[in-house]
Amino acid sequence: MLLTGCVFGLGTQPGTDSVDHRIYLGDFPAPLSLPALPAIPPQPVQPADTTDSAAMDAYYLAQADYNNAVMEMQDEFAIHGAAIAEAAVTAAQGGRDAVAAWQSLMVTAGVSVTDASGSLVEVGGSSGFGWPMSDAQLRLHAVLGASSGGLGLADLAEALQGIPELADADLVTMLYDELLNYQDYGFGAVFAQLAPGTFMTGPIVKAPEEVVLSWAQVSLVLHRLAAELAIMDSVDGQDTVSSQSGSAYDAAPSVVTASFTGDAASSKRACDVGIENPWAAELLNQFNKAHATVVFDKVVAYVDEGLGTNAGGKIGIARVISAFATMLAKAAALRADFSVSDTPLVRTKNTQPGEVRDLAVKLRFDADSWEEIRGCMNLFMSPFGLELPGAQSGFAQNIDIDLSSEEPWRLRIGDGAGGDKPVTRGKTDGNGEARFKLSGAPQADLIPEVAEPEEVDVTVRAVTNLGGNDFYKDVAALPWDALDAAGTAGISLVPQVLSRMKLIMLTGAVPVRDWNLEADFEATVVASISSRSATHYLPAADCGQRPVSTSSTEAAVSLASDTVEISAVLLSNPDGNLGDQAVVFVPRGEEFQGYGYGDGVLQFETTGNYTATKSHFKPAVGELPPVRVGQGNGVCDAQGVGGPYIPPTPDCGERTYSEALQVTIPSARTLHVSHLSSTASELWRHCGDAVVVVAPRLIECLGDVQRHGGKFPSIADIYDSSKTVIEVTGTLSCTDMREGYLEEFQYEWTLVLCRIVDGESAC
């Protein structure tokens, strides 16, 4: 799984023009319909005593049954995964549909939610667990989830360490490990889709300090963590959470296991809580029924070790995290406009820097959006007598920005000319604007002129100290300690948590014209082989007058391979010498390994399908080798046990078979097609001598070898999209003439490359 992510803030990015960035305050919609979670069976638990052979045998059998059951559910996973992906796209667009989608996504991820009537939202029979998210929390979460950004994992951990019980925890490592190795399918299915293509979907795992979660992922993580902490005393099957009087986090709510009594009044107006204290409401504990494991087990275990049986303390921590998640919605009113002069920026085709452009980053606060978000927050907090102050607006001045490119191999910060000034750092002026220079990154190698333009958007990340400039100061300034007296002890820690958020990240996109060096093909091989052997033998003189013995064996073979998809890869040449450039072929989606195998450097493998006819002649037909005269040994008549030797019945004729083929580079700029290994000769047991019946390797001929053709396609042809078919033809012939024996073959092959365009064969 790939640890990476989008970043925090609202940037002018592709695909965001249609996003509704205002909080939805209309009627509360019904939840989006989703298929039920696949009913994954409980995973077997390995016995504590691994020396107990009987117990271990039973465990291995149970594990095999579990694996088989999961494999049989692949269609269910595919259907459910596609539905989750579609719902995540809807959620990212904001507005009414996003509120509907988020209800179902949160429940699927294990977080309980109430609908417009105050009843629990069910998805496939599951209602999640913890405090059900209220109307206000769901709307605030939805507007936050539509923002195109996120928060560094290390910054999230730093903020949560404002909670005293987590202050000394290695929280970033805990969260990193748990997000990398989660065991809850429902949570993981949703979490991965909230930043498709950037998180847990590639082969590279980033270091913890490099991980950035999307804003939607941050909120989901916090709500799920709060839910797990709130019910942690009952995850082992208990039905209630005990309350320890006198705790710093007293006032544990009641716990229900199969039902929930909501308040329909919450549907009367948007964001109205409708109950006296949302964090003193009933907790829903359906953990064992709905979800397989605790996602954040290390954090839960750490808190459990520190607080022991103090259930009120654990629930107090859950309250802080839940409130923290809700207050973060203020970020949805932040705007970051990224504007580039004269787009697109064009990269060169050589090892020199490309064009230079000016980038302006303007930070501002959307007063109208914040006023709506503030109103919803105030309705949510009204039972506690808390109210956020008036709208904040205007440009963010004197904010430090550190700019970086998400693809520095394509787009660089700076003009490429060098100098002693830091080109990645800037500060906003009185208009909230900071300016930077951008340039196209030099190519690692010379690019062929036939390379076609590719229009891409490169993400740039602006790391700001907005947090250090009291972005949340109005939220933190509220009298949170008053909530402790209202029966929600621990909430007073919210300002401390918010104050630890220093670095706020925002993103934008820069249009870049790069050069497309992608060339994918469907590869097939057709070939023919004509092979022959002959013997020419004169018995020894001491056997008397005997005739000369001759025989010959022939095979006519045709070959047509399976189709395999391959890609052309231009190998990097740091010296910039175009004459030394080289292209190799690899299976599509794989990287070039450079393995030497068989006849040369392996390019790819496929399967050859053969039809061969073998014949034997005695006396021989065709050319004979020089006669070999036998050396007398006193044995002149072949004898068998019990009588004369009787030859077996010949089994010559036609056979069909399949064998593995390899395409290799045996020498500079040439290709060859040959077999990997073969047992095909055993298909004829009694049909003369062995002859070549599979695509021969170069090393298999001991005589005169003639090899022609097989020239590697030119770089220009490979990357010229107008050439839809490229053919490479080669021949290999061999004549091994010795006294009494002749072996020869002629092998002709053609590698046909049919270009793939937009995922389809162009042939």
Side-chain angles (χ1 to χ4, degrees), residues 543 546 633-640 644-645:
C543 291
R546 295 292 181 100
N633 58 9
V635 178
C636 298
D637 292 309
Q639 298 292 325
Y645 170 72

Side-chain angles (χ1 to χ4, degrees), residues 296-422:
F296 301 103
D297 55 331
K298 293 182 179 179
V299 180
V300 168
Y302 184 89
V303 173
D304 196 35
E305 182 178 355
L307 291 176
T309 60
N310 183 358
K314 301 163 195 175
I315 290 175
I317 295 174
R319 287 193 186 102
V320 174
I321 294 173
S322 180
F324 173 46
T326 302
M327 295 301 104
L328 288 180
K330 179 181 178 181
L334 182 64
R335 300 290 185 266
D337 299 322
F338 293 75
S339 58
V340 183
S341 62
D342 191 18
T343 60
L345 183 154
V346 182
R347 290 187 75 187
T348 61
K349 294 182 181 179
N350 54 41
T351 55
Q352 298 301 311
E355 296 179 343
V356 178
R357 296 287 187 270
D358 291 318
L359 169 69
V361 181
K362 179 174 285 189
L363 306 182
R364 60 188 177 85
F365 206 72
D366 189 317
D368 292 338
S369 179
W370 169 233
E371 183 64 18
E372 293 172 346
I373 292 172
R374 185 181 73 90
C376 186
M377 285 185 173
N378 284 340
L379 281 172
F380 175 69
M381 295 187 296
S382 59
F384 315 125
L386 299 180
E387 183 176 352
L388 287 165
Q392 179 178 343
S393 63
F395 299 116
Q397 304 176 18
N398 298 317
I399 301 299
D400 293 324
I401 296 178
D402 193 347
L403 192 70
S404 62
S405 169
E406 292 285 277
E407 300 176 55
W409 53 270
R410 181 174 268 162
L411 177 70
R412 298 276 177 87
I413 311 301
D415 58 11
D420 56 1
K421 293 183 179 180

Side-chain angles (χ1 to χ4, degrees), residues 693-719:
V693 291
V694 291
R697 294 183 182 180
L698 299 176
I699 60 175
E700 291 180 354
C701 181
L702 302 178
D704 180 24
V705 179
Q706 299 291 325
R707 177 170 171 256
H708 300 285
K711 184 179 179 181
F712 206 105
S714 69
I715 294 176
D717 285 350
I718 288 174
Y719 292 110

Side-chain angles (χ1 to χ4, degrees), residues 365-530:
F365 206 72
D366 189 317
D368 292 338
S369 179
W370 169 233
E371 183 64 18
E372 293 172 346
I373 292 172
R374 185 181 73 90
C376 186
M377 285 185 173
N378 284 340
L379 281 172
F380 175 69
M381 295 187 296
S382 59
F384 315 125
L386 299 180
E387 183 176 352
L388 287 165
Q392 179 178 343
S393 63
F395 299 116
Q397 304 176 18
N398 298 317
I399 301 299
D400 293 324
I401 296 178
D402 193 347
L403 192 70
S404 62
S405 169
E406 292 285 277
E407 300 176 55
W409 53 270
R410 181 174 268 162
L411 177 70
R412 298 276 177 87
I413 311 301
D415 58 11
D420 56 1
K421 293 183 179 180
V423 296
T424 64
R425 296 178 184 175
K427 183 186 290 288
T428 59
D429 58 19
N431 293 320
E433 186 174 279
R435 291 187 169 273
F436 300 86
K437 293 289 186 181
L438 305 176
S439 60
Q443 301 286 352
D445 203 346
L446 298 179
I447 301 299
E449 285 301 318
V450 294
E452 297 185 347
E454 178 185 18
E455 308 299 335
V456 297
D457 289 297
V458 178
T459 299
V460 289
R461 177 185 298 182
V463 180
T464 76
N465 66 341
L466 273 167
N469 278 265
D470 298 324
F471 179 70
Y472 285 99
K473 65 180 179 181
D474 52 350
V475 179
L478 295 174
W480 290 93
D481 54 347
L483 273 67
D484 291 353
T488 51
I491 296 297
S492 58
L493 292 173
V494 170
Q496 184 170 329
V497 174
L498 288 169
S499 68
R500 296 172 68 91
M501 290 178 54
K502 302 299 183 185
L503 300 179
I504 294 178
M505 303 181 193
L506 310 107
T507 57
V510 177
V512 174
R513 177 170 296 162
D514 208 341
W515 304 104
N516 186 2
L517 282 180
E518 292 183 358
D520 299 323
F521 301 91
E522 290 183 344
T524 54
V525 175
V526 292
S528 64
I529 306 168
S530 176

Side-chain angles (χ1 to χ4, degrees), residues 147-216:
S147 299
S148 60
L151 191 66
L153 184 65
D155 295 320
L156 177 61
E158 172 71 17
L160 290 176
Q161 285 181 301
I163 301 172
E165 286 76 9
L166 295 175
D168 296 326
D170 185 5
L171 201 54
V172 66
T173 300
M174 291 181 184
L175 293 174
Y176 176 85
D177 290 344
E178 289 165 341
L179 292 175
L180 190 64
N181 302 294
Y182 65 85
Q183 297 297 315
D184 186 294
Y185 168 78
F187 173 84
V190 174
F191 183 77
Q193 290 299 333
L194 297 183
T198 59
F199 195 97
M200 306 188 304
T201 56
I204 301 173
V205 177
K206 289 190 173 183
E209 61 274 10
E210 297 175 343
V211 175
V212 179
L213 306 182
S214 75
W215 213 201

